[in-house]
């Protein structure tokens, strides 16, 4: 399984929580250095809590499932 596939699988675990609030997360890029770029969409895109959602929800889920990920960035 590729690094991108592992990250996408990790995102599937958090998507139901985001979708319950009218949002979602889109995987934009995963590079060979372990940098993941995501985009919060829907109501999550403009939410004042987006930074916390990214850090404590999305980033933690990815790093727990895919330890080789170095950083998760929102674009």
């Amino acid at each position: 399984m590729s690094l991108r596939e592992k990250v996408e699988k990790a995102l599937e675990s958090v998507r139901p929580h985001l979708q319950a609030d009218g949002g979602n997360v889109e995987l934009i890029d995963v590079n060979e250095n372990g940098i993941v770029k995501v985009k919060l969409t829907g109501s999550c895109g403009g939410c004042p809590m987006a930074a916390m959602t990214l850090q404590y929800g999305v980033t933690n889920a990815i790093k727990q499932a895919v330890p080789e990920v170095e950083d998760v960035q929102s674009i």
Side-chain angles (χ1 to χ4, degrees), residues 17-39:
H17 304 288
L18 298 174
Q19 290 170 341
D21 291 327
N24 207 340
V25 61
E26 178 183 348
L27 179 59
I28 303 298
D29 187 42
V30 178
N31 73 24
E32 66 278 353
N33 297 323
I35 306 299
V36 174
K37 293 184 180 180
V38 297
K39 181 178 181 180

Side-chain angles (χ1 to χ4, degrees), residues 2 5 14-15 23 26 30 37 40 46 56 60 67 69 71 74:
S2 73
E5 290 169 329
V14 296
R15 277 199 175 104
E26 178 183 348
V30 178
K37 293 184 180 180
L40 293 174
Y56 297 109
N60 285 349
V69 168
D71 192 27
S74 178

